[in-house]
Amino acid sequence: MLHEYEISGMSCKGCVASVQKILEGIEGIDSVTVTLHPPVAKIAMSSHMDPATINKHFEQTGMHYRVHHLGHLESIKKQEPVEIEGKGPGTYYCPMLCEGDKTYDNPGDCPVCGMDLVKKAVAVPDASTYTCPMHPEIRRSGPGSCPICGMELQKIVVSGSENDEDQAYRNMLRRFKIALVFTLPIFILSMGEMVGLPVHDWIPLGLTGWVQLFLSIPVIFHAGWPFFVRGYRSLRRQSPNMWTLISIGVGAAFLFSAVGLMAPGIFPSAFKEGGEVHLYFEAAAVILTLVLLGQVLELRAHGQTSAAIKELLDLAPPEATVIRNGAEAVVALNELLMGDKIRVKPGGKIPVDGVLIEGQSTVDESMITGESVPVQKKTGEHLIGGTVNTTGSFIMKATAVGASTMLAQIVEMVQEASRSRAPIQSLADKISRYFVPIVVIVSIVTFAVWTLFGPSPALVYAFANAVAVLIVACPCALGLATPMSIMVGTGQGAKMGVLVKNAAMIQRMADVDTLVVDKTGTLTEGKPRVITIQSIKPSSSDMDILSLAASLESGSEHPLAQAIITAAQEKKLDINSSSDFDSVTGMGVKGLVKGKQLLLGNVALMKDHGVSVPDSVLEKMSSLQAKAHTVVLLAWEKELVGFLSIADAIKSTTSEVISALHKEGMEIAMLTGDNERTARAVAEELGIDTFKAEFLPGDKKHYIEQLQADGKTVAMAGDGINDAPALTQADVGIAMGTGTDVAIESAGITLVKGDLRGILKARKLSKAVMRNIKQNLFFAFVYNTIGIPVAAGLLYPFFGVLLSPMIAALAMSFSSVSVIANSLRIRRFGVTGARRMEPR
């Protein structure tokens, strides 16, 4: 039997050879074919072998490769070729996930819904990202000159998605601008007289229609032509959607107008105004221009998502200093192997996951764990790729490279979560699935009935009434129902400091019942601050203690030292220089200030130097530590003179917001990479329902997945790169505007001021917008429900009343005006609702 296994841990051709050799040596395996892209192994065996059995063989050889069974090769579904124009490498997928996980080799439109395909970013890019524009075969891991022609090497975009999406965005923006240029004069020519513009003084009445025709041709046959192609595809695939509505409605309006202009004689006088058939070129042009605007905004949002993933990719350095055969050499990141010894210098980024084997340092892991205070690292402790070495130089051993690193897995998690289908994106298509066929059927039945039973000339009546049905059912109101509410709602949200990325987030925010929050930077300020200063000697004041501590730390770059120095600077205290400064790992620091020895650190440092710490001080320290404070003792010439406590302070508004959210019926959980003691203290102080400590990005994402599996609608609030996977996995991701760009781009809602009170505003706003959308949809359907039967001629046998296309267009316009007017009511929300949302 032939089986296919996915392999994790491979990063180069050497890995492929190692895996191949190990698998071929396993009893029961007949033949093996291993590939790096994609990282899979096709294995022929007499009977199925459990992945755990294969993984044991890897463990026995000391390798970190792992396999995951994909299934029998014969049962793996192959993708059918898709007719999409254009060529390009990589994997493209529909953001609507119309066909599940199906991907395409070329860019273009989704054959089901017509959306632009999006290219998946490369989780582990090739480190050789510089090339010569004249000689593309030249690849280098860093900048320089081409060895052939001497030209400056240019960096290749590693995400792989920006070029295609930027091109699609620029193309759609160009189409929108063209449509706008031609639509504005059409609209003025058609509606100018209604607002007092002397249009017919500028252009003779007989020429107005012809000018509108020629102006609308570029809009219909160039700017908006892709929508007609999408509409055609939807009909061909028997999957009617929004593009079906747009193409039918716009096409009917344009064709009716063109026929009415060029052959007005075929229409009876009942359909003429002043001897002329009423034209609807402006309706066709305006609808297409609005749709183009929506596409421009959507493509721009896709580009921002790609930028967020690229920022994650950029966390890892392109090169690393590896030690092989006793010599140091700089190599590209993709050339690193598991087991390699790597030197990391102060200020440098840790290239891959590994273990520190020589030296010690302090590492800033905030971009991964969210913990603002750098972590002391010593021999044997784990290191994470993408984090920053802040102090000493050290040597590490690589334990995970390529796709196996935590950073690469975070990129994959962000992409997986961001590809999840938003429920509101398919709302219009679900409605259209039934609405479009019904309208088309009614139009056809109308034509047939009037042809068979209508008065003379029956065919003209049949055609006119069938067109009237299509015009009155034009998707303008239906198409505007959601985007108008979203447009006004997001505008009001921006004024209130709440930025919403898309409509799906508004819909989901109204249904949220569980709020998950990060601690650092979300509930807290995100930076250590001196909270308590206590002198225990009458001869020394609190300010003396702070001044001495700041003087001792004046040469240190440690975050706790910076917090002490900042506090002293804020109080304008004297900060003297120190000498003989020494950092004692795990204890604190010591040195000379004004010729006197100072010690600043924990109890162990004091005892090590014979400094006595009274029980009363120990009790105060314990009390502060229970509140998540870091306490440092200060000794002057081996005599304890005072202590300071440092903490990441809770934001002043956090407690009020937590209480208000509880009143809203939300359950609140705090997930943090911090230690359990600190997390418990913060949770108890704020009255948070649940907390989880020492959580990594994957843990947060999996916790949210578990809540969602239990039927919860989850919102996640965070501010760091480490929060990105959880933000994208949550039903609603809420980013603090004071946080990182990647957190903001990964979230659906951003609070500009980093104030949790914005969550209350977003909740109220989402409910108002969703209520408004439902009202708009009701208006749109009521007009269609009444208008379609009248347009079909249902009243003619009883009252002799026919709905001319002109009246049908007026009804359509009135329905659109009703939708717009109702949407504009949301503007009052910021005036009457904002104050009510503020916690008291």
Side-chain angles (χ1 to χ4, degrees):
M1 293 187 295
L2 190 61
H3 292 255
E4 191 170 59
Y5 293 81
E6 182 182 29
I7 304 175
S8 62
M10 295 195 306
S11 62
C12 62
K13 293 182 179 179
C15 296
V16 172
S18 298
V19 171
Q20 180 95 17
K21 183 177 180 180
I22 294 171
L23 292 177
E24 288 176 345
I26 299 177
E27 186 177 355
I29 293 181
D30 300 323
S31 64
V32 180
T33 301
V34 181
T35 59
L36 182 59
H37 301 293
V40 298
K42 297 177 182 178
I43 304 176
M45 57 185 71
S46 55
S47 60
H48 172 62
M49 189 174 296
D50 187 77
T53 303
I54 299 176
N55 289 333
K56 286 182 179 179
H57 285 81
F58 287 131
E59 293 172 359
Q60 291 172 359
T61 59
M63 298 297 182
H64 294 271
Y65 309 119
R66 293 294 182 269
V67 299
H68 173 69
H69 189 234
L70 297 177
H72 300 284
L73 193 60
E74 292 81 358
S75 67
I76 297 175
K77 185 177 180 180
K78 296 183 178 180
Q79 297 174 359
E80 299 178 358
V82 182
E83 297 179 7
I84 302 180
E85 297 180 358
K87 297 180 180 180
T91 302
Y92 295 82
Y93 65 93
C94 173
M96 300 280 285
L97 301 182
C98 294
E99 298 177 280
D101 294 330
K102 185 172 182 179
T103 57
Y104 308 92
D105 293 330
N106 302 316
D109 300 332
C110 171
V112 176
C113 70
M115 295 281 288
D116 286 282
L117 298 178
V118 177
K119 189 175 183 181
K120 184 179 178 182
V122 180
V124 186
D126 186 349
S128 300
T129 54
Y130 288 81
T131 186
C132 174
M134 298 296 295
H135 301 88
E137 69 274 12
I138 300 298
R139 294 292 181 96
R140 294 290 185 270
S141 59
S145 301
C146 174
I148 299 176
C149 66
M151 288 190 65
E152 191 74 16
L153 299 181
Q154 296 180 0
K155 189 174 183 180
I156 303 171
V157 178
V158 297
S159 69
S161 62
E162 292 183 341
N163 288 341
D164 297 310
E165 291 190 9
D166 285 350
Q167 184 177 355
Y169 169 74
R170 288 193 298 267
N171 178 56
M172 197 61 69
L173 182 61
R174 178 181 58 83
R175 291 179 181 274
F176 168 70
K177 290 179 179 178
I178 292 173
L180 187 63
V181 167
F182 287 97
T183 298
L184 286 176
I186 296 174
F187 188 80
I188 293 173
L189 288 174
S190 176
M191 302 295 181
E193 292 289 338
M194 300 176 62
V195 296
L197 294 177
V199 174
H200 297 311
D201 292 344
W202 306 337
I203 300 176
L205 182 60
L207 292 178
T208 302
W210 291 99
V211 173
Q212 291 184 46
L213 171 62
F214 287 114
L215 288 174
S216 63
I217 287 176
V219 180
I220 303 295
F221 294 98
H222 176 69
W225 186 249
F227 303 150
F228 291 95
V229 175
R230 296 176 184 183
Y232 166 73
R233 287 176 179 169
S234 69
L235 293 174
R236 188 184 65 179
R237 289 178 171 266
Q238 299 180 357
S239 57
N241 52 39
M242 199 65 189
W243 305 115
T244 316
L245 289 169
I246 292 170
S247 59
I248 290 178
V250 174
F254 178 79
L255 289 176
F256 177 85
S257 301
V259 173
L261 178 66
M262 292 182 286
I266 69 172
F267 292 94
S269 59
F271 293 95
K272 296 180 180 180
E273 183 179 11
E276 299 289 336
V277 176
H278 189 79
L279 306 178
Y280 308 100
F281 292 118
E282 86 287 348
V286 168
I287 291 171
L288 281 183
T289 303
L290 291 175
V291 174
L292 283 164
L293 176 60
Q295 290 296 288
V296 167
L297 297 176
E298 185 176 338
L299 287 171
R300 185 177 181 181
H302 287 165
Q304 292 172 345
T305 302
S306 298
I309 295 176
K310 185 179 184 298
E311 183 176 342
L312 282 174
L313 296 173
D314 288 342
L315 282 178
E319 299 173 327
T321 302
V322 65
I323 303 174
R324 293 173 181 168
N325 301 322
E328 294 188 4
V330 177
V331 301
L333 193 65
N334 69 328
E335 296 177 10
L336 290 177
L337 304 175
M338 280 185 294
D340 271 342
K341 293 182 179 180
I342 304 168
R343 181 178 296 281
V344 182
K345 299 177 181 179
K349 291 183 178 180
I350 297 173
V352 294
D353 296 353
V355 175
L356 194 152
I357 60 175
E358 184 179 324
Q360 60 184 15
S361 185
T362 302
V363 178
D364 181 2
E365 297 183 340
S366 59
M367 64 287 297
I368 299 296
T369 66
E371 176 55 45
S372 59
V373 179
V375 182
Q376 292 285 343
K377 296 290 184 179
K378 55 186 178 180
T379 303
E381 294 193 342
H382 184 66
L383 301 168
I384 303 173
T387 57
V388 179
N389 176 29
T390 61
T391 54
S393 174
F394 61 83
I395 298 175
M396 61 175 287
K397 180 181 179 181
T399 58
V401 296
S404 298
T405 64
M406 179 178 293
L407 181 59
Q409 292 170 9
I410 289 175
V411 172
E412 279 299 309
M413 285 188 288
V414 171
Q415 289 199 115
E416 180 183 349
S418 65
R419 289 175 61 186
S420 300
R421 185 170 183 168
I424 202 170
Q425 291 175 344
S426 59
L427 178 61
D429 284 346
K430 288 180 180 179
I431 296 172
S432 303
R433 189 178 301 277
Y434 301 99
F435 180 71
V436 176
I438 290 174
V439 171
V440 173
I441 290 172
V442 171
S443 180
I444 294 173
V445 170
T446 299
F447 186 87
V449 170
W450 279 92
T451 300
L452 295 175
F453 305 106
S456 180
L459 188 61
V460 174
Y461 278 106
F463 175 77
N465 288 329
V467 170
V469 169
L470 292 175
I471 290 179
V472 81
C474 185
C476 188
L478 181 60
L480 289 173
T482 298
M484 278 303 299
S485 295
I486 296 299
M487 186 181 300
V488 179
T490 52
Q492 284 303 107
K495 293 179 182 179
M496 299 157 56
V498 178
L499 303 182
V500 183
K501 179 179 288 187
N502 56 51
M505 295 301 106
I506 292 181
Q507 180 185 5
R508 292 173 179 174
M509 189 63 194
D511 300 325
V512 167
D513 53 31
T514 303
L515 174 65
V516 175
V517 295
D518 177 52
K519 177 183 73 68
T520 305
T522 303
L523 301 178
T524 65
E525 297 288 350
K527 55 183 180 180
R529 296 177 58 187
V530 174
I531 305 299
T532 304
I533 307 169
Q534 181 68 60
S535 171
I536 60 175
K537 291 290 183 181
S539 58
S540 301
S541 67
D542 292 349
M543 294 302 99
D544 290 335
I545 299 300
L546 179 58
S547 177
L548 288 171
S551 297
L552 179 60
E553 295 279 25
S554 60
S556 175
E557 297 294 331
H558 194 280
L560 295 183
Q562 291 302 306
I564 293 173
I565 293 171
T566 299
Q569 290 173 340
E570 290 176 350
K571 297 182 182 298
K572 299 181 179 180
L573 301 179
D574 292 333
I575 300 178
N576 301 299
S577 60
S578 62
S579 60
D580 294 339
F581 179 84
D582 185 26
S583 175
V584 184
T585 304
M587 294 185 183
V589 296
K590 59 183 180 178
L592 298 178
V593 175
K594 294 183 178 181
K596 304 292 185 180
Q597 186 185 52
L598 282 179
L599 301 173
L600 183 66
N602 56 21
V603 175
L605 179 67
M606 299 297 124
K607 290 183 178 180
D608 192 53
H609 288 77
V611 178
S612 176
V613 182
D615 291 340
S616 59
V617 173
L618 292 175
E619 290 177 3
K620 291 180 180 179
M621 288 180 63
S622 178
S623 175
L624 290 170
Q625 288 169 343
K627 297 179 181 179
H629 291 212
T630 298
V631 181
V632 290
L633 301 166
L634 180 67
W636 172 275
E637 290 289 299
K638 296 188 178 182
E639 181 181 12
L640 188 69
V641 294
F643 62 87
L644 304 92
S645 75
I646 303 168
D648 188 4
I650 295 175
K651 293 179 181 178
S652 59
T653 58
T654 298
S655 180
E656 293 177 302
V657 173
I658 296 297
S659 176
L661 291 173
H662 276 141
K663 293 178 181 179
E664 283 279 320
M666 284 192 188
E667 180 181 345
I668 301 174
M670 181 184 73
L671 310 182
T672 178
D674 212 338
N675 62 78
E676 184 172 356
R677 185 174 62 181
T678 300
R680 183 180 298 278
V682 173
E684 290 178 352
E685 181 177 348
L686 296 176
I688 291 175
D689 302 301
T690 306
F691 76 90
K692 299 291 182 181
E694 299 178 0
F695 256 40
L696 294 177
D699 299 324
K700 295 181 181 181
K701 178 176 181 290
H702 295 320
Y703 182 82
I704 291 175
E705 287 177 337
Q706 182 179 355
L707 289 174
Q708 292 170 329
D710 294 337
K712 301 288 187 180
T713 303
V714 183
M716 164 69 187
D719 75 326
I721 289 176
N722 64 295
D723 298 321
L727 287 170
T728 49
Q729 176 61 41
D731 296 289
V732 180
I734 305 173
M736 302 294 107
T738 52
T740 63
D741 290 340
V742 70
I744 294 172
E745 296 298 340
S746 299
I749 296 177
T750 298
L751 307 182
V752 176
K753 297 180 180 179
D755 192 335
L756 280 181
R757 286 178 294 183
I759 295 179
L760 291 174
K761 298 176 183 178
R763 171 82 162 192
K764 301 267 187 186
L765 178 66
S766 64
K767 288 184 176 181
V769 171
M770 290 310 301
R771 182 168 57 250
N772 193 267
I773 289 174
K774 293 175 182 178
Q775 294 167 350
N776 287 345
L777 291 173
F778 174 78
F779 286 138
F781 280 111
V782 163
Y783 282 112
N784 280 295
T785 301
I786 297 174
I788 290 175
V790 174
L794 186 64
L795 299 180
Y796 185 78
F798 307 101
F799 306 102
V801 175
L802 288 174
L803 185 64
S804 73
M806 181 182 66
I807 303 300
L810 181 63
M812 177 198 69
S813 299
F814 186 64
S815 66
S816 300
V817 170
S818 299
V819 167
I820 295 172
N822 186 59
S823 300
L824 291 176
R825 293 193 308 114
I826 301 176
R827 292 187 300 178
R828 291 185 290 173
F829 176 80
V831 177
T832 60
R835 291 197 182 106
R836 292 199 301 267
M837 291 185 296
E838 298 290 341
R840 295 182 180 179

